[in-house]
Structures are given as C-alpha cells and as structure tokens.
Amino acid sequence: MSDKTPVDFWFDPLCPWAWMTSRWVLEVEKVRDIEVRWHVMSLAVLNEDKLDQLPEEYRDLLETKAWGPVRVVIAAQEEHGAEVLGDLYTALGTRFHNQGEGPTKEAVAGALKDAGLPESLLDHWDATPYEPQLRASHKEGIDKVGQEVGTPVIAVPGADGEQLAFFGPVVTPAPQGEEAARLWDGTLAVASVPGFYEIKRTRTKGPDFSNL
C-alpha cells in the first residue's frame, strides 16, 4: 500500500483541457506526496443522448473521432492492466495535442508504439467487446461529480476523508513547479469545505501547449 495521497483522474484523450490538467497533476507529483490513478471516461458517452443539442462541429467531432481512441485505451487497460494508462495517455496526448496530429488512427498507432503496447489494440477502433468496461469506468467518474460536466474529472480527499470529485481544474498553460503546487493546495482547500461546489469564470484563452 502506498502512503501517498491518491488522486483519481478521469480523462478522454480527445480533450485538450484534460490534457493540460493531466500535465499539471503530474507536475504536482514532483512537489507533493500524491499518486495519480488514471481512469477512462468518454465525451462520446457523455453526450450521446444530447447530440442534437450540440453545435454541428462538436457533434461531428464526437461522432467521427471520439470513439476510436477511447476504445483502444479501454482495450489496453483490460488486456495489459490499468498501470499502462498513464504512459499511453502521455503518448496519445503528446501526439494529439503537442504535435498537432489530432485523434487519428495513425496517431493512435504511433502512441501505442511509443508506450510499448501492441499495434493489435487498434483492432478495437471501430468496435470493442470492452464497451461495458468503458461505460462502467465513465459512470464511476460521472457518478462522483454529476452530469453537467466534461473532462477531466479528478477526485481528491475531502473534509471527512472521503473523496470529493470536481470537473477541472481547467487551466492554461499547465502550471509547473511551485505554481502547480499552489494550485494543488488550493484544490485541497476547497475540497475541505463540505458545501463547496464551484468557482468559474469565462475562458478568454484557448489551450496553450507551449510549455509541454
């Protein structure tokens, strides 16, 4: 058993905001005694009952590019263990976001190679027998935080020792060093208040990957 504070992190590799939050929490691992545990969630699953309410461009993205990557990721988890998720997510996000390859089948193939996983996992791109596991992992995260969110979802220790989950933090660029530590400390501070729910302001900048 680890003595480190567990941080559960639900991600969809499609999301650039989740990607930056994930790089922040890995930075926090360097300066605070935490251990990140990775879980899959799916923007396609999250939005499948409200596609007709979404902007056309986002709807097309979910319908054409969102399913393949998470199917491959959940197959990697089921066939090679949850411990591969961190490295695979790093490989996917680096290609999708930092290198600008986007969520293509070719980018996923390259990420599998980067993470030391078999390319045969691409067989799950169009359909996977692990869809129940994908939906269960997604549901676990959403049940902790509620439906009116996106990705990432993080669960951290709350006031009574039980985990408390949030959507976010949404931040750009990903904080590093002591700035990362201060944001972590603030996250724990708000989680320590049982009735705390939300702090929010309008985003005025897009995703900034320049320091990754």
Side-chain angles (χ1 to χ4, degrees):
M1 296 292 290
S2 173
D3 292 331
K4 295 183 177 182
T5 300
V7 181
D8 288 288
F9 192 110
W10 280 263
F11 69 93
D12 184 324
L14 187 71
C15 179
W17 298 101
W19 172 242
M20 281 183 293
T21 305
S22 74
R23 300 310 93 181
W24 160 70
V25 80
L26 285 180
E27 191 73 10
V28 174
E29 274 195 325
K30 301 175 185 177
V31 293
R32 294 291 186 268
D33 203 21
I34 72 166
E35 181 177 34
V36 184
R37 303 185 296 201
W38 303 99
H39 308 271
V40 187
M41 67 178 292
S42 168
L43 290 171
V45 173
L46 181 68
N47 291 286
E48 63 184 348
D49 294 330
K50 50 188 175 186
L51 287 174
D52 59 347
Q53 304 169 31
L54 301 177
E56 182 178 358
E57 183 178 1
Y58 187 47
R59 183 173 66 246
D60 290 345
L61 177 69
L62 293 179
E63 291 180 325
T64 62
K65 296 183 177 180
W67 282 103
V70 292
R71 286 172 176 150
V72 172
V73 172
I74 198 67
Q77 173 187 298
E78 293 303 307
E79 295 183 4
H80 299 276
E83 61 271 16
V84 307
L85 290 184
D87 287 345
L88 179 55
Y89 184 26
T90 291
L92 289 167
T94 299
R95 286 180 174 270
F96 286 11
H97 306 299
N98 295 7
Q99 297 175 7
E101 297 180 31
T104 65
K105 198 170 187 178
E106 293 75 19
V108 174
L112 289 171
K113 183 177 180 180
D114 295 341
L117 292 167
E119 190 172 350
S120 59
L121 287 167
L122 279 177
D123 294 345
H124 296 269
W125 182 269
D126 293 313
T128 179
Y130 303 122
E131 184 167 325
Q133 289 90 329
L134 170 61
R135 290 179 178 274
S137 179
H138 174 88
K139 184 177 185 298
E140 181 185 11
I142 289 297
D143 282 352
K144 290 179 179 292
V145 75
Q147 288 289 333
E148 300 305 316
V149 300
T151 177
V153 169
I154 65 169
V156 302
D160 57 2
E162 296 294 325
Q163 278 196 320
L164 186 66
F166 295 110
F167 162 56
V170 176
V171 60
T172 187
Q176 297 180 340
E178 279 306 308
E179 185 179 38
R182 289 196 302 273
L183 181 55
W184 169 252
D185 294 341
T187 300
L188 288 186
V190 297
S192 71
V193 179
F196 175 82
Y197 289 99
E198 183 175 12
I199 292 176
K200 190 172 183 178
R201 64 174 178 159
T202 299
R203 298 178 201 171
T204 57
K205 294 181 181 179
D208 179 356
F209 310 121
S210 60
N211 67 341
L212 300 180

